[in-house]
Coordinates of all heavy atoms in Angstrom, one line a residue:
S117 N 0.8 -1.2 0.0 CA 0.0 0.0 0.0 C 0.9 1.3 0.0 O 2.0 1.2 0.4 CB -0.9 0.0 1.2 OG -0.2 0.1 2.4
V118 N 0.3 2.3 -0.4 CA 1.1 3.6 -0.6 C 0.3 4.7 0.2 O -0.9 4.7 0.2 CB 1.2 4.0 -2.1 CG1 2.0 5.3 -2.2 CG2 1.8 3.0 -2.8
A119 N 1.0 5.5 1.0 CA 0.4 6.5 1.7 C 1.1 7.9 1.4 O 2.3 7.8 1.2 CB 0.4 6.3 3.2
P120 N 0.5 9.0 1.4 CA -0.9 9.3 1.8 C -1.8 9.1 0.6 O -1.6 9.9 -0.4 CB -0.9 10.8 2.3 CG 0.2 11.3 1.5 CD 1.2 10.2 1.2
A121 N -2.7 8.3 0.5 CA -3.7 8.2 -0.6 C -5.0 8.9 -0.4 O -5.7 8.7 0.5 CB -4.0 6.8 -0.8
G122 N -5.2 9.9 -1.3 CA -6.5 10.6 -1.3 C -6.5 11.7 0.0 O -7.7 12.2 0.1
E123 N -5.6 11.9 0.6 CA -5.5 12.7 1.8 C -5.2 14.1 1.4 O -4.5 14.4 0.5 CB -4.6 12.1 2.8 CG -5.0 10.8 3.4 CD -3.9 10.4 4.4 OE1 -3.2 11.1 5.0 OE2 -3.7 9.0 4.5
E124 N -5.6 15.1 2.3 CA -5.2 16.4 2.2 C -4.0 16.6 3.2 O -4.0 16.2 4.3 CB -6.3 17.4 2.6 CG -7.5 17.5 1.6 CD -8.5 18.5 2.1 OE1 -8.5 19.0 3.1 OE2 -9.4 18.7 1.2
V125 N -2.9 17.1 2.6 CA -1.6 17.3 3.4 C -1.1 18.6 3.3 O -1.5 19.5 2.4 CB -0.6 16.2 2.9 CG1 -1.2 14.8 3.1 CG2 -0.3 16.3 1.4
E126 N 0.0 18.9 4.1 CA 0.7 20.1 3.9 C 1.7 20.0 2.8 O 1.8 19.0 2.2 CB 1.5 20.5 5.3 CG 0.6 20.6 6.6 CD -0.5 21.7 6.4 OE1 0.0 22.8 5.9 OE2 -1.7 21.6 6.8
E127 N 2.6 21.2 2.6 CA 3.4 21.1 1.5 C 4.5 20.2 1.5 O 5.2 19.8 0.5 CB 4.0 22.4 1.2 CG 4.8 23.1 2.4 CD 5.2 24.5 2.0 OE1 4.4 25.2 1.5 OE2 6.2 24.8 2.6
D128 N 4.9 19.6 2.7 CA 5.9 18.5 2.9 C 5.3 17.3 3.2 O 4.4 17.2 4.1 CB 6.9 18.9 4.1 CG 7.8 20.2 3.8 OD1 7.8 20.6 2.6 OD2 8.3 20.7 4.6
V129 N 5.6 16.3 2.4 CA 5.0 14.9 2.5 C 5.9 13.9 2.7 O 7.0 13.8 2.1 CB 4.1 14.7 1.2 CG1 3.4 13.4 1.1 CG2 3.1 15.8 1.0
A130 N 5.5 12.9 3.5 CA 6.2 11.6 3.6 C 5.6 10.5 2.8 O 4.5 10.1 3.1 CB 6.4 11.1 5.1
L131 N 6.1 10.3 1.7 CA 5.5 9.2 0.8 C 6.1 7.9 1.3 O 7.3 7.7 1.4 CB 6.0 9.5 -0.7 CG 5.4 8.6 -1.8 CD1 4.0 8.6 -1.9 CD2 6.3 8.8 -3.0
T132 N 5.2 7.0 1.7 CA 5.5 5.8 2.4 C 4.9 4.6 1.6 O 3.8 4.6 1.2 CB 5.1 5.8 3.8 OG1 5.6 7.0 4.4 CG2 5.6 4.6 4.5
V133 N 5.7 3.6 1.4 CA 5.2 2.3 0.7 C 5.5 1.3 1.7 O 6.5 1.0 2.3 CB 6.1 2.0 -0.5 CG1 5.6 0.7 -1.1 CG2 5.9 3.1 -1.5
F134 N 4.4 0.3 1.9 CA 4.4 -0.9 2.7 C 4.4 -2.1 1.8 O 3.5 -2.2 1.0 CB 3.3 -0.9 3.7 CG 3.2 0.4 4.7 CD1 2.5 1.5 4.4 CD2 4.1 0.5 5.7 CE1 2.5 2.7 5.1 CE2 4.0 1.6 6.6 CZ 3.3 2.7 6.3
V135 N 5.3 -2.9 2.0 CA 5.4 -4.2 1.2 C 5.4 -5.4 2.1 O 5.5 -5.3 3.3 CB 6.8 -4.2 0.5 CG1 6.8 -3.1 -0.6 CG2 8.0 -4.2 1.3
S136 N 4.8 -6.5 1.5 CA 4.7 -7.7 2.4 C 6.0 -8.5 2.7 O 6.1 -9.2 3.7 CB 3.6 -8.6 1.7 OG 4.1 -9.0 0.5
E137 N 7.0 -8.2 1.8 CA 8.2 -9.0 1.8 C 9.4 -7.9 1.6 O 9.3 -7.3 0.5 CB 8.4 -10.1 1.0 CG 9.6 -10.8 1.1 CD 9.8 -11.6 2.4 OE1 8.8 -12.1 3.0 OE2 10.9 -11.6 2.9
S138 N 10.4 -7.7 2.6 CA 11.3 -6.6 2.3 C 12.7 -7.1 1.9 O 13.5 -6.4 1.4 CB 11.4 -5.8 3.5 OG 12.0 -6.5 4.5
E139 N 12.9 -8.5 1.9 CA 14.3 -9.1 1.7 C 14.5 -8.9 0.1 O 13.8 -9.4 -0.7 CB 14.3 -10.5 2.0 CG 15.7 -11.1 1.9 CD 15.8 -12.4 2.5 OE1 15.1 -12.8 3.4 OE2 16.7 -13.2 2.0
G140 N 15.7 -8.1 -0.1 CA 16.0 -8.0 -1.5 C 15.1 -7.0 -2.3 O 15.1 -7.0 -3.5
V141 N 14.3 -6.2 -1.7 CA 13.3 -5.3 -2.4 C 13.9 -4.0 -2.5 O 14.5 -3.5 -1.6 CB 12.0 -5.3 -1.6 CG1 11.0 -4.2 -2.3 CG2 11.3 -6.7 -1.7
K142 N 13.7 -3.4 -3.7 CA 14.1 -1.9 -3.9 C 12.9 -1.2 -4.3 O 12.1 -1.7 -5.2 CB 15.1 -1.8 -5.0 CG 16.5 -2.5 -4.6 CD 17.3 -1.7 -3.7 CE 18.6 -2.5 -3.6 NZ 19.2 -2.2 -2.3
C143 N 12.5 -0.1 -3.8 CA 11.4 0.7 -4.2 C 11.8 2.0 -4.7 O 12.7 2.6 -4.2 CB 10.4 0.8 -3.1 SG 9.5 -0.6 -2.5
S144 N 11.1 2.6 -5.6 CA 11.3 3.9 -6.2 C 10.0 4.6 -6.5 O 8.9 3.9 -6.6 CB 12.3 3.7 -7.5 OG 11.6 2.9 -8.3
Y145 N 10.2 5.9 -6.8 CA 8.9 6.6 -7.2 C 9.2 7.7 -8.2 O 10.4 8.0 -8.5 CB 8.4 7.4 -5.9 CG 9.3 8.6 -5.4 CD1 9.0 9.8 -5.8 CD2 10.4 8.2 -4.7 CE1 9.9 10.9 -5.4 CE2 11.2 9.3 -4.3 CZ 10.9 10.6 -4.7 OH 11.8 11.7 -4.3
S146 N 8.2 8.1 -8.8 CA 8.2 9.1 -10.0 C 6.9 9.9 -9.9 O 5.9 9.5 -9.7 CB 8.4 8.4 -11.3 OG 8.4 9.4 -12.4
S147 N 7.1 11.3 -10.2 CA 5.9 12.1 -10.3 C 5.4 11.7 -11.7 O 5.9 11.3 -12.5 CB 6.2 13.6 -10.2 OG 6.8 14.1 -11.4
S148 N 4.0 12.1 -11.9 CA 3.4 11.8 -13.2 C 4.0 12.7 -14.2 O 3.7 12.5 -15.4 CB 1.9 12.1 -13.1 OG 1.7 13.4 -12.6
L149 N 4.7 13.6 -13.9 CA 5.3 14.5 -14.8 C 6.7 14.2 -15.3 O 7.3 14.7 -16.2 CB 5.5 16.0 -14.3 CG 4.2 16.7 -13.7 CD1 4.3 17.9 -13.1 CD2 3.2 16.7 -14.8
S150 N 7.2 13.1 -14.8 CA 8.6 12.6 -15.1 C 8.6 11.1 -15.3 O 7.9 10.4 -14.6 CB 9.5 13.0 -13.9 OG 10.7 12.5 -14.2
S151 N 9.4 10.6 -16.1 CA 9.6 9.2 -16.2 C 10.8 8.6 -15.4 O 11.1 7.5 -15.4 CB 9.7 8.7 -17.7 OG 11.0 9.4 -18.2
N152 N 11.6 9.6 -14.8 CA 12.8 9.2 -14.0 C 12.3 8.7 -12.6 O 11.5 9.5 -12.0 CB 13.7 10.4 -13.8 CG 14.3 10.9 -15.1 OD1 14.5 9.8 -16.1 ND2 14.6 12.1 -15.3
Y153 N 12.6 7.5 -12.3 CA 12.3 7.1 -11.0 C 13.4 7.3 -10.0 O 14.6 7.1 -10.4 CB 12.0 5.5 -10.9 CG 10.6 5.2 -11.5 CD1 10.3 5.3 -12.7 CD2 9.7 4.9 -10.5 CE1 9.0 4.9 -13.2 CE2 8.4 4.6 -10.9 CZ 8.1 4.6 -12.2 OH 6.8 4.4 -12.6
L154 N 13.2 7.8 -8.7 CA 14.1 8.0 -7.8 C 14.0 6.9 -6.6 O 12.9 6.6 -6.2 CB 13.9 9.4 -7.1 CG 13.9 10.5 -8.1 CD1 13.4 11.9 -7.5 CD2 15.3 10.7 -8.7
N155 N 15.0 6.6 -6.0 CA 15.1 5.4 -5.0 C 14.5 5.9 -3.8 O 14.7 7.2 -3.3 CB 16.5 4.9 -4.7 CG 17.0 4.2 -5.8 OD1 16.3 3.5 -6.6 ND2 18.4 4.2 -6.1
M156 N 13.8 5.0 -3.1 CA 13.2 5.3 -1.8 C 14.1 4.7 -0.8 O 14.8 3.7 -1.0 CB 11.8 4.7 -1.7 CG 10.8 5.4 -2.7 SD 9.2 4.7 -2.6 CE 8.5 5.7 -1.2
R157 N 14.0 5.2 0.4 CA 15.0 4.7 1.6 C 14.2 3.7 2.4 O 13.0 4.0 2.8 CB 15.5 5.9 2.3 CG 16.3 5.5 3.5 CD 17.0 6.7 4.1 NE 15.9 7.7 4.7 CZ 15.5 7.6 5.9 NH1 16.1 6.7 6.8 NH2 14.6 8.5 6.4
E158 N 14.8 2.5 2.7 CA 14.0 1.6 3.7 C 14.2 2.3 5.1 O 15.3 2.5 5.6 CB 14.7 0.2 3.7 CG 14.0 -0.8 4.4 CD 14.6 -2.3 4.2 OE1 15.7 -2.3 3.5 OE2 13.9 -3.1 4.6
I159 N 13.0 2.4 5.6 CA 12.9 2.9 7.0 C 12.7 2.0 8.1 O 12.8 2.4 9.3 CB 12.0 4.1 7.2 CG1 10.5 3.7 6.7 CG2 12.4 5.3 6.2 CD1 9.4 4.7 7.0
A160 N 12.1 0.9 7.7 CA 11.8 -0.3 8.7 C 11.5 -1.6 7.8 O 11.5 -1.4 6.6 CB 10.5 0.1 9.5
E161 N 11.5 -2.5 8.5 CA 11.2 -3.9 7.8 C 9.9 -3.6 7.1 O 8.9 -3.3 7.7 CB 11.1 -5.0 8.7 CG 11.1 -6.4 8.0 CD 11.2 -7.6 8.8 OE1 11.9 -7.4 10.0 OE2 10.7 -8.6 8.6
N162 N 9.8 -3.9 5.7 CA 8.7 -3.8 5.0 C 8.0 -2.3 4.7 O 7.0 -2.1 4.4 CB 7.6 -4.6 5.6 CG 7.9 -6.0 5.7 OD1 8.9 -6.4 5.2 ND2 7.0 -6.8 6.3
A163 N 9.0 -1.3 5.0 CA 8.5 0.1 4.8 C 9.6 0.9 4.1 O 10.7 0.8 4.5 CB 8.1 0.7 6.0
Y164 N 9.2 1.7 3.1 CA 10.1 2.5 2.3 C 9.6 3.9 2.3 O 8.3 4.0 2.4 CB 10.3 2.0 0.9 CG 11.1 0.6 0.8 CD1 10.2 -0.5 1.1 CD2 12.3 0.5 0.7 CE1 10.8 -1.8 1.1 CE2 13.0 -0.7 0.7 CZ 12.2 -1.8 0.9 OH 12.9 -3.0 0.9
H165 N 10.5 4.9 2.2 CA 10.1 6.2 2.5 C 10.7 7.2 1.5 O 11.9 7.0 1.1 CB 10.4 6.6 3.9 CG 10.4 8.0 4.3 ND1 9.3 8.6 4.9 CD2 11.4 8.9 4.2 CE1 9.6 9.8 5.1 NE2 10.8 10.1 4.8
A166 N 10.1 8.3 1.1 CA 10.7 9.4 0.4 C 10.1 10.7 0.8 O 8.8 10.8 1.1 CB 10.5 9.2 -1.1
R167 N 10.9 11.7 1.1 CA 10.4 13.0 1.6 C 10.2 13.8 0.5 O 11.1 14.1 -0.3 CB 11.3 13.5 2.6 CG 10.8 14.7 3.3 CD 10.8 14.6 4.8 NE 10.2 15.6 5.6 CZ 9.0 15.5 6.0 NH1 8.3 14.5 5.7 NH2 8.5 16.6 6.6
L168 N 9.0 14.4 0.2 CA 8.7 15.3 -0.8 C 8.4 16.7 -0.2 O 7.6 16.8 0.7 CB 7.4 14.9 -1.6 CG 7.5 13.4 -2.1 CD1 6.0 13.0 -2.6 CD2 8.6 13.2 -3.0
V169 N 9.2 17.6 -0.5 CA 9.1 18.9 0.1 C 9.0 20.1 -0.9 O 9.2 20.1 -2.0 CB 10.5 19.3 0.9 CG1 10.8 18.4 1.9 CG2 11.7 19.4 -0.1
G170 N 8.3 21.2 -0.4 CA 8.0 22.3 -1.1 C 7.0 22.1 -2.3 O 7.0 22.7 -3.3
L171 N 6.1 21.2 -2.1 CA 5.0 20.9 -3.1 C 4.0 22.1 -3.2 O 3.7 22.6 -2.2 CB 4.3 19.7 -2.7 CG 5.0 18.4 -2.8 CD1 4.2 17.2 -2.4 CD2 5.7 18.1 -4.2
E172 N 3.6 22.4 -4.4 CA 2.7 23.4 -4.7 C 1.3 22.9 -4.2 O 1.0 21.7 -4.2 CB 2.7 23.9 -6.1 CG 4.0 24.6 -6.4 CD 3.9 25.0 -8.0 OE1 2.8 25.0 -8.6 OE2 5.0 25.4 -8.4
K173 N 0.4 23.8 -3.9 CA -1.0 23.5 -3.6 C -1.7 22.8 -4.7 O -1.4 23.2 -6.0 CB -1.8 24.7 -3.2 CG -1.4 25.2 -1.8 CD -2.2 26.4 -1.5 CE -1.7 26.9 0.0 NZ -2.4 28.0 0.4
G174 N -2.5 21.9 -4.5 CA -3.3 21.1 -5.6 C -3.0 19.7 -5.5 O -2.5 19.1 -4.6
A175 N -3.5 19.0 -6.6 CA -3.4 17.6 -6.7 C -2.0 17.2 -7.1 O -1.4 17.8 -7.9 CB -4.5 17.0 -7.6
H176 N -1.5 16.1 -6.5 CA -0.2 15.5 -7.0 C -0.3 14.1 -7.1 O -1.0 13.3 -6.3 CB 0.8 15.7 -5.8 CG 1.2 17.2 -5.7 ND1 2.2 17.8 -6.4 CD2 0.6 18.1 -5.0 CE1 2.3 19.1 -6.1 NE2 1.3 19.3 -5.2
H177 N 0.2 13.5 -8.1 CA 0.1 12.1 -8.5 C 1.5 11.5 -8.7 O 2.3 12.1 -9.4 CB -0.7 11.9 -9.8 CG -1.0 10.6 -10.2 ND1 -2.0 9.8 -9.7 CD2 -0.2 9.8 -11.0 CE1 -2.0 8.6 -10.2 NE2 -1.0 8.5 -11.0
Y178 N 1.7 10.4 -8.0 CA 3.0 9.8 -7.9 C 2.9 8.3 -8.3 O 1.8 7.7 -8.0 CB 3.8 9.9 -6.7 CG 4.4 11.2 -6.5 CD1 3.6 12.2 -6.0 CD2 5.7 11.4 -6.8 CE1 4.1 13.5 -5.9 CE2 6.2 12.7 -6.5 CZ 5.4 13.7 -6.2 OH 5.9 15.0 -6.0
N179 N 3.9 7.7 -9.1 CA 3.8 6.3 -9.4 C 4.9 5.7 -8.5 O 6.0 6.3 -8.3 CB 4.2 6.1 -10.8 CG 3.3 6.7 -11.8 OD1 2.2 6.6 -11.7 ND2 3.8 7.5 -12.7
V180 N 4.7 4.5 -8.0 CA 5.6 3.9 -7.1 C 5.9 2.5 -7.7 O 4.9 1.8 -8.1 CB 5.1 3.7 -5.7 CG1 6.0 2.9 -4.8 CG2 4.8 5.1 -5.1
M181 N 7.2 1.9 -7.7 CA 7.5 0.7 -8.2 C 8.5 0.0 -7.2 O 9.3 0.6 -6.8 CB 8.2 0.9 -9.5 CG 8.8 -0.5 -10.2 SD 9.5 -0.3 -11.8 CE 10.9 0.8 -11.3
C182 N 8.0 -1.3 -6.8 CA 9.0 -2.1 -6.0 C 9.4 -3.3 -6.9 O 8.5 -3.9 -7.5 CB 8.3 -2.4 -4.8 SG 8.0 -1.0 -3.7
E183 N 10.7 -3.7 -6.8 CA 11.1 -4.9 -7.4 C 12.0 -5.8 -6.4 O 12.7 -5.1 -5.7 CB 11.9 -4.5 -8.7 CG 12.4 -5.7 -9.4 CD 13.1 -5.1 -10.8 OE1 13.2 -3.9 -11.0 OE2 13.3 -6.0 -11.6
D184 N 11.8 -7.0 -6.5 CA 12.6 -7.9 -5.6 C 13.8 -8.4 -6.4 O 14.0 -8.1 -7.6 CB 11.8 -9.1 -5.0 CG 11.4 -10.1 -6.1 OD1 11.8 -10.1 -7.2 OD2 10.5 -10.9 -5.6
E185 N 14.7 -9.1 -5.8 CA 16.0 -9.6 -6.3 C 15.8 -10.6 -7.4 O 16.7 -10.8 -8.2 CB 16.8 -10.2 -5.2 CG 16.1 -11.4 -4.5 CD 16.9 -11.8 -3.2 OE1 18.1 -11.4 -3.1 OE2 16.3 -12.5 -2.5
Y186 N 14.5 -11.1 -7.6 CA 14.2 -12.1 -8.7 C 13.5 -11.3 -9.9 O 13.3 -12.0 -10.9 CB 13.3 -13.2 -8.2 CG 13.9 -13.9 -7.0 CD1 13.4 -13.6 -5.8 CD2 15.0 -14.7 -7.1 CE1 13.9 -14.3 -4.6 CE2 15.6 -15.3 -6.1 CZ 15.0 -15.1 -4.9 OH 15.5 -15.7 -3.6
G187 N 13.5 -10.0 -9.9 CA 12.8 -9.3 -11.0 C 11.3 -9.2 -10.8 O 10.8 -8.7 -11.9
N188 N 10.7 -9.7 -9.9 CA 9.3 -9.5 -9.7 C 8.9 -8.1 -9.4 O 9.6 -7.5 -8.6 CB 8.7 -10.5 -8.6 CG 8.9 -11.8 -8.9 OD1 8.6 -12.4 -9.9 ND2 9.5 -12.6 -7.9
M189 N 8.1 -7.4 -10.1 CA 7.8 -5.9 -10.0 C 6.4 -5.7 -9.7 O 5.4 -6.4 -10.3 CB 8.2 -5.2 -11.2 CG 8.1 -3.8 -11.2 SD 8.8 -2.9 -12.6 CE 8.4 -3.8 -13.9
V190 N 6.1 -4.8 -8.8 CA 4.7 -4.3 -8.4 C 4.7 -2.8 -8.7 O 5.7 -2.2 -8.2 CB 4.3 -4.8 -7.2 CG1 2.9 -4.1 -6.8 CG2 4.3 -6.3 -7.0
E191 N 3.8 -2.3 -9.4 CA 3.6 -0.9 -9.5 C 2.2 -0.4 -9.0 O 1.3 -1.2 -8.9 CB 3.7 -0.4 -10.9 CG 5.0 -0.7 -11.6 CD 5.0 -0.3 -13.0 OE1 5.1 1.0 -13.2 OE2 4.9 -1.1 -13.9
D192 N 2.2 0.8 -8.4 CA 1.0 1.4 -7.8 C 1.1 2.9 -8.0 O 2.2 3.4 -8.4 CB 0.9 0.9 -6.3 CG -0.5 1.1 -5.9 OD1 -1.5 1.6 -6.6 OD2 -0.8 0.7 -4.7
D193 N 0.0 3.5 -7.8 CA 0.1 5.0 -7.9 C -0.7 5.5 -6.7 O -1.5 4.9 -6.0 CB -0.4 5.4 -9.3 CG -1.8 5.1 -9.4 OD1 -2.4 4.1 -8.9 OD2 -2.6 5.7 -10.2
V194 N -0.4 6.8 -6.5 CA -1.1 7.5 -5.4 C -1.4 8.9 -5.7 O -0.6 9.6 -6.5 CB -0.3 7.5 -4.0 CG1 1.0 8.2 -4.2 CG2 -1.1 7.9 -2.8
T195 N -2.5 9.4 -5.4 CA -2.8 10.9 -5.6 C -3.2 11.5 -4.3 O -3.9 10.9 -3.4 CB -4.1 11.0 -6.5 OG1 -3.7 10.4 -7.7 CG2 -4.5 12.5 -6.6
F196 N -2.7 12.6 -4.0 CA -3.0 13.4 -2.7 C -3.0 14.8 -2.9 O -2.7 15.3 -4.1 CB -2.0 13.0 -1.5 CG -0.5 13.3 -1.9 CD1 0.0 14.7 -1.8 CD2 0.3 12.3 -2.5 CE1 1.4 14.8 -2.2 CE2 1.5 12.5 -2.9 CZ 2.1 13.9 -2.7
Y197 N -3.6 15.6 -2.1 CA -3.8 17.0 -2.3 C -3.2 17.9 -1.3 O -3.4 17.7 -0.1 CB -5.3 17.3 -2.2 CG -6.1 16.4 -3.1 CD1 -6.5 15.1 -2.7 CD2 -6.3 16.7 -4.5 CE1 -7.2 14.2 -3.6 CE2 -6.9 15.9 -5.4 CZ -7.4 14.6 -4.8 OH -8.0 13.7 -5.7
V198 N -2.4 18.8 -1.7 CA -1.7 19.8 -0.9 C -2.6 21.0 -0.8 O -3.2 21.6 -1.6 CB -0.3 20.2 -1.5 CG1 0.4 21.3 -0.6 CG2 0.7 19.0 -1.6
V199 N -2.9 21.3 0.6 CA -3.8 22.5 1.0 C -3.0 23.7 1.6 O -2.0 23.5 2.0 CB -4.9 21.9 1.8 CG1 -5.8 21.0 1.2 CG2 -4.3 21.4 3.2

């Protein structure tokens, strides 16, 4: 799952991904305006994090991708609103 999904947030956001298995997993994210994915930092077993700062007011859409050491990949997206 990806958070914050559909929520109203301030301009600084903690984009967090929760996975069922973390061994050998790498997660990354990209805004809908870019095809470049940036790595997320593992903050706990089964949780990855990216800090998004200085976001403008309005809707923001991000794509998230996690891949394990065997090449299995899962993608998800999230939209939230900066107020």
Side-chain angles (χ1 to χ4, degrees):
S117 66
V118 183
E123 297 176 28
E124 291 184 352
V125 297
E126 299 297 322
E127 64 185 31
D128 294 346
V129 176
L131 184 63
T132 307
V133 177
F134 301 97
V135 297
S136 59
E137 182 66 42
S138 66
E139 188 173 333
V141 172
K142 303 275 188 216
C143 291
S144 56
Y145 70 98
S146 174
S147 77
S148 61
L149 303 175
S150 172
S151 61
N152 296 327
Y153 278 80
L154 302 172
N155 290 330
M156 300 180 81
R157 183 172 61 93
E158 187 172 9
I159 56 170
E161 187 174 333
N162 301 354
Y164 294 82
H165 169 89
R167 187 123 186 99
L168 309 174
V169 296
L171 297 176
E172 294 183 12
K173 291 183 179 182
H176 293 268
H177 183 83
Y178 283 83
N179 302 311
V180 177
M181 176 177 64
C182 294
E183 186 173 6
D184 68 15
E185 59 191 341
Y186 304 107
N188 299 310
M189 184 173 43
V190 175
E191 293 183 76
D192 202 352
D193 61 332
V194 63
T195 299
F196 55 85
Y197 306 90
V198 175
V199 293

